[in-house]
Amino acid sequence: MARDNDLRLGTAAGVRLAAWASVAFLFLPIPVLVLYSFNAGRQVTHWEGFSLKWYATALSDRSVWLGVRNSLIIATASTLISTVLGTAAALVLAKYTFRGRMLFQSLIYIPVILPEIIFGLSLLALFVFMRMPLGFTAVICSHATFSMSFVALIVLARLHHFDWRLEEASLDLGATRLQTFFRIVLPEIAPGIMSGAMFAFTMSLDDFISTLFTASASSGTLPLRIYALVKYGITPELNAVSTLLILVTLGALWAGYHLQKNVISRRMLLGLGGGTVATIGFLLILSVSMADDDNTLNLYNYAGYFDDAVLADFEKETGIRVTWNFYNDNVELLARMSMGACDYDVVVPCDYMVGILVKLGLLARIDADNVPNIVNIDDRFRRMPFEPTGTYYVPYTYGCTGISYNSKKVSEPVESWTVLLNSKYKDRILMLDDVRECFGFAFRLQGHSLTDKKPDELRQALSLLEKQRPLVRRYDSSTIQDLLLGNEVFVAQCWSGIGLRLSMNHPEFRFVLPREGMSMFVDTLCIPKDARHKKNAERFLNFMMRPDIAARNMKGIFYPMPNTKAPVLLPGDVRKVLDPMLNMDLKRLELVGDLGEFTKDVDRAWTELRSRSMTQAPNASLP
């Protein structure tokens, strides 16, 4: 019979079982992720056989390798800084009594307990205030700041068991304080120091939030690259990259565990320290040798919005190395640019955002003489209402929102937005995680337009979306294709490029332009006012306007470009799929510009909608 445990919480066997169940619950996703990294198919939810091809894809991806290089440089440098400062802080706290000691010790806990997003925002504000450029230095400082506290606490725990009488005896025997530190104190606390260093290294290697706020175009780390892959769609390549990162992290933790258990000799400590310094020096020299600031183009755009082969050809033809980072939406782009935290040469804002950026003085004029291929652009897109002069942007792509659905699951004809209100597809409907698109859908169904900016129509639209919400599986703009292919949803509001690509590769899916009309977007190529490589940026714009390059890019991303000479160069099957958009009557599309102060009302309504429970009963029956 199983014995009761000391806590009187049932039998010891029951407690062990509960503990193992908790561990399994926490770590079970990891072996699942590792398993599906060997999946032969593209979809992570359907096993199609064993294969190593996704590891080969990940290891041949230059952006991944740049992320690995940057992560190692930043993690190694921040670990060295945080270990030295954290150890010094622990020694002061353990050995000395001074005024303000308790306050100092309390401050050490702040980075540990403070939400990391607040920490990242505060660091970004500080760096902008100090006019410190974002990049490697800013990221290393941010990582060292929060890692130092963890190192100090780990070393301080080790010092609590140190007998300070040994130090006094060494001094009484004639040793200097420096000799005493290196021969008596340091060997005793070295396991704690190395454990703290390993902990700091793994934290820096895995950090995402503070890096997101402080990184520049050229200092993106591996977690940022993984984030970009997630936004482009979850594939086994992402699982492969994540598996490699998990292995490195586990290796560092294992080393830290054994270093903390064992006594470290002075020779071993000096060897580890010298090896660390040599590694940092090598990585920094490698970084400098690979950098060519004059031949660099820093690109800030949506994930998967440029064909990789086209970018590779631009690098080959011009000798200009392209580095890129990704953002979620126009709001994120505006935030970084308005705070002066945007070290980029080309950005890709949507139509209405161009007007906002011009008003704020954040964009540079484009010299048309340096972009001669601009003559290939359709005149209808040259001087649009959001920027009538046409001097601050080059139109890149255009598209609209529509309906993508699985014809094997949705049998009736789909011609209207009302299919997204059909209770027959409850919990199988997806809506874009985009305030303007969701409310545009609701306005359009009721015969109104967002551009009217009428509060009573906004209340009606909110009421409609509240009634629809119990039917919606999720609001998502990043993994639409994966959710449709995995039969998680049957019908989705989605961007035209995603819908057209899906129908091209999987004939059972259809993309429909609803009869009530659609909202149109025009994405643009712009150059920030403070761009350091403006000439390179203009060469890139000119390159993208070439008809052959535009055709290849359209084939890769399935969004039409307003290039009058490119469509005839498209392959026949791609042209057939893109034809509805290429020959679209633009009068059917509504270009919703800057809503001004009405944006605040729409945002409040969106927050109200998203904050309510998915299980809340609708106010009225749906059609």
Side-chain angles (χ1 to χ4, degrees), residues 426 463-471 613-622:
K426 181 178 181 180
S463 177
L464 177 64
L465 291 173
E466 287 174 342
K467 296 171 187 176
Q468 182 211 24
R469 179 154 189 174
L471 308 181
S613 170
M614 287 288 289
T615 59
Q616 182 175 352
N619 297 329
S621 60
L622 291 166

Side-chain angles (χ1 to χ4, degrees), residues 115 129 196 243 251 268 270 294 317 324 331 340 391 480 512:
F129 176 76
T243 299
M268 182 185 299
L270 292 175
D294 291 335
E317 288 189 20
W324 58 91
V331 175
T391 58
I480 303 170
V512 175

Side-chain angles (χ1 to χ4, degrees), residues 55 124 244 314:
Y55 283 90
L124 174 60
L244 295 175
F314 173 75

Side-chain angles (χ1 to χ4, degrees), residues 68-228:
V68 170
R69 185 203 71 180
N70 293 345
S71 293
L72 290 175
I73 292 174
I74 291 168
T76 307
S78 65
T79 297
L80 181 64
I81 295 171
S82 61
T83 300
V84 172
L85 295 179
T87 300
L91 286 168
V92 169
L93 289 172
K95 187 176 180 181
Y96 301 106
T97 300
F98 53 90
R99 182 177 298 178
R101 179 177 178 276
M102 291 304 298
L103 176 62
F104 180 59
Q105 185 167 354
S106 300
L107 290 174
I108 288 181
Y109 285 93
I110 290 180
V112 179
I113 62 178
L114 191 69
E116 193 174 356
I117 190 169
I118 297 177
F119 191 72
L121 280 170
S122 61
L123 285 172
L124 174 60
L126 175 64
F127 294 150
V128 171
F129 176 76
M130 295 173 59
R131 299 187 181 278
M132 175 187 288
L134 300 184
F136 279 106
T137 302
V139 178
I140 290 171
C141 288
S142 66
H143 286 203
T145 301
F146 67 75
S147 297
M148 183 185 71
S149 295
F150 290 93
V151 173
L153 293 174
I154 293 173
V155 175
L156 192 59
R158 185 81 181 185
L159 284 168
H160 284 323
H161 301 285
F162 180 72
D163 189 351
W164 291 101
R165 290 177 297 181
L166 294 174
E167 182 185 50
E168 296 174 4
S170 176
L171 295 173
D172 290 342
L173 291 173
T176 65
R177 290 192 176 275
L178 195 61
Q179 290 174 325
T180 299
F181 175 75
F182 279 107
R183 295 181 180 275
I184 304 298
V185 180
L186 189 58
E188 287 295 320
I189 65 173
I193 295 174
M194 295 307 301
S195 180
M198 289 297 175
F199 196 81
F201 182 83
T202 56
M203 287 188 64
S204 176
L205 197 66
D206 297 341
D207 180 78
F208 168 73
I209 295 179
S210 65
T211 308
L212 179 66
F213 285 107
T214 55
S216 67
S218 59
S219 59
T221 61
L222 184 57
L224 291 185
R225 300 299 176 189
I226 293 175
Y227 178 55

Side-chain angles (χ1 to χ4, degrees), residues 190 196 201 263 301 495 590:
F201 182 83
V263 177
N301 66 300
W495 312 111
E590 180 184 31

Side-chain angles (χ1 to χ4, degrees), residues 170-360:
S170 176
L171 295 173
D172 290 342
L173 291 173
T176 65
R177 290 192 176 275
L178 195 61
Q179 290 174 325
T180 299
F181 175 75
F182 279 107
R183 295 181 180 275
I184 304 298
V185 180
L186 189 58
E188 287 295 320
I189 65 173
I193 295 174
M194 295 307 301
S195 180
M198 289 297 175
F199 196 81
F201 182 83
T202 56
M203 287 188 64
S204 176
L205 197 66
D206 297 341
D207 180 78
F208 168 73
I209 295 179
S210 65
T211 308
L212 179 66
F213 285 107
T214 55
S216 67
S218 59
S219 59
T221 61
L222 184 57
L224 291 185
R225 300 299 176 189
I226 293 175
Y227 178 55
L229 289 173
V230 170
K231 291 189 285 186
Y232 185 48
I234 302 174
T235 68
E237 180 186 357
L238 174 59
N239 290 346
V241 174
S242 301
T243 299
L244 295 175
L245 185 60
I246 290 170
L247 291 176
V248 173
T249 303
L250 289 177
L253 290 174
W254 178 85
Y257 171 75
H258 283 280
L259 286 171
Q260 191 173 17
K261 288 183 61 177
N262 300 318
V263 177
I264 302 175
S265 66
R266 181 168 174 263
R267 179 177 297 178
M268 182 185 299
L269 187 65
L270 292 175
L272 289 171
T276 300
V277 172
T279 301
I280 293 174
F282 172 76
L283 291 172
L284 289 176
I285 293 172
L286 178 65
S287 176
V288 172
S289 65
M290 292 181 68
D292 186 355
D293 194 62
D294 291 335
N295 289 321
T296 299
L297 177 75
N298 297 324
L299 180 62
Y300 197 35
N301 66 300
Y302 297 101
Y305 212 22
F306 288 91
D307 183 72
D308 290 340
V310 167
L311 293 180
D313 283 350
F314 173 75
E315 292 183 323
K316 188 182 300 182
E317 288 189 20
T318 63
I320 297 172
R321 183 169 58 90
V322 179
T323 61
W324 58 91
N325 275 353
F326 308 104
Y327 56 86
N328 272 328
D329 51 38
N330 284 274
V331 175
E332 183 179 337
L333 171 65
L334 175 62
R336 290 186 70 90
M337 292 187 68
S338 60
M339 293 187 70
C342 187
D343 180 27
Y344 299 101
D345 304 308
V346 176
V347 294
V348 192
C350 193
D351 40 68
Y352 76 93
M353 186 54 64
V354 175
I356 295 175
L357 294 174
V358 170
K359 290 179 182 177
L360 294 175

